[in-house]
Amino acid sequence: MERKKIGLALSGGGARGFAHIGVLKVFAEHNIKFDMIAGTSAGSIIGGALAAGMSPAEMETMARKVGYINMMRPSFSLRGALSNAPMGNFLRRELPVTRFENLPIPFAAVAYDLNAAKETILSETGDLVTAIRASCAVPGAFAPVKGENGELFVDGGVTNVMPVDVVRKMGADIVIAVDLLACGSTANGVSSTAAGIMIRSAMTLLRVSASYQGDKADIVIIPPIAHLRPDQIRKREEFFPLGEAAAREKIDEILAFIEQ
């Protein structure tokens, strides 16, 4: 019998993306290999690193170097207050592979093309780092990222924050998804500022989008990170074990599903 192809879908979630690394650590311990990977926003960073051949331990080392200074700078653009160009420079130094054509594992990053007004799947050919930057360009906060053909890309979470359907289209028979948004937030009450209301409303929309995609996955891992915000980069040491714990709770189910 032909082996079933296993795909991995990693959601966005800002700094919550550090939890993905803990999940991958458990997969590595049980020698779970993926035939294709797709990620959105923070999920595109970790998914791209895995597809490029990095181990979870190497990703942890990379993650500990992450800070606001090497991820963003003022953009001096009317299209966004910040630029994630420093992220691009950081990833070019850290990733062992920076072209889609050279990836050991097929990978897709989800972005939204403002010019074409549609979701765009960046895969197969082209610059991996530009694709990851595009997938992470949160509208309003970050200026759009220019594509190789003049496209203007923003964060793929606009349409698809956890790309289970993309992994299916890549040929996966089994899809494991990691949802960093389903846990919500422990914040209570209504925010006293317009910005706070906007952020909480946006997070709600993203959770609904992730839930819709999660229904298409075979197994969904949801790290218990509601008490941690997507902007808390310095909390990485808390994110790692929470992702690991969530994966350990699901590992028997995953192994049984794979071995069917």
Side-chain angles (χ1 to χ4, degrees):
M1 180 182 294
E2 185 178 352
R3 186 183 70 84
K4 291 182 178 179
K5 294 182 179 179
I6 307 170
L8 177 66
L10 300 177
S11 85
R16 288 180 168 192
F18 292 129
H20 283 316
I21 298 174
V23 172
L24 295 183
K25 178 180 179 181
V26 177
F27 291 160
E29 287 177 2
H30 290 83
N31 199 33
I32 296 174
K33 307 290 186 181
F34 294 97
D35 298 285
M36 61 279 296
I37 304 163
T40 298
S41 201
S44 75
I45 299 175
I46 304 304
L50 181 63
M54 292 185 75
S55 68
E58 290 170 330
M59 290 182 216
E60 274 198 25
T61 299
M62 177 177 74
R64 291 190 174 98
K65 300 176 186 177
V66 170
Y68 290 111
I69 292 176
N70 58 18
M71 289 290 108
M72 62 189 75
R73 62 168 172 75
S75 71
F76 307 108
S77 168
L78 296 176
R79 290 172 168 164
L82 302 168
S83 165
N84 64 13
M87 174 197 295
N89 296 331
F90 175 81
L91 291 174
R92 289 193 195 284
R93 293 192 301 269
E94 297 292 325
L95 296 179
V97 176
T98 58
R99 297 285 301 180
F100 278 101
E101 299 92 326
N102 300 327
L103 292 174
I105 305 171
F107 171 70
V110 182
Y112 184 82
D113 183 349
L114 292 174
N115 288 336
K118 67 177 183 178
E119 177 179 304
T120 301
I121 309 304
L122 302 170
S123 63
E124 296 184 357
T125 63
D127 185 61
L128 174 64
V129 172
T130 298
I132 293 173
R133 284 186 57 211
S135 188
C136 293
V138 178
F142 290 94
V145 173
K146 289 185 178 180
E148 295 178 355
N149 298 308
E151 306 96 334
L152 280 181
F153 291 123
V154 294
D155 194 312
V158 168
T159 57
N160 194 345
V161 74
M162 190 170 70
V164 173
D165 58 344
V166 175
V167 181
R168 290 282 187 205
K169 290 176 183 176
M170 294 170 76
D173 300 304
I174 298 170
V175 178
I176 299 170
V178 184
D179 188 345
L180 304 179
L181 299 164
C183 63
S185 169
T186 55
N188 295 315
V190 178
S191 174
S192 60
T193 68
I197 292 172
M198 181 180 69
I199 291 170
R200 290 191 63 181
S201 298
M203 291 298 292
T204 299
L205 291 172
L206 290 173
R207 282 199 300 276
V208 171
S209 173
S211 175
Y212 173 74
Q213 287 291 330
D215 290 340
K216 302 177 182 180
D218 295 295
I219 296 172
V220 181
I221 296 171
I222 303 175
I225 50 178
H227 61 294
L228 297 169
R229 299 194 312 269
D231 64 323
Q232 292 183 302
I233 291 177
R234 294 184 179 88
K235 298 282 188 177
R236 76 200 82 202
E237 299 300 334
E238 293 184 45
F239 284 114
F240 297 148
L242 291 171
E244 184 177 341
R248 290 198 189 286
E249 287 185 5
K250 288 277 190 176
I251 194 63
D252 289 341
E253 180 183 351
I254 292 170
L255 292 172
F257 200 92
I258 290 173
E259 292 168 3
Q260 285 180 356

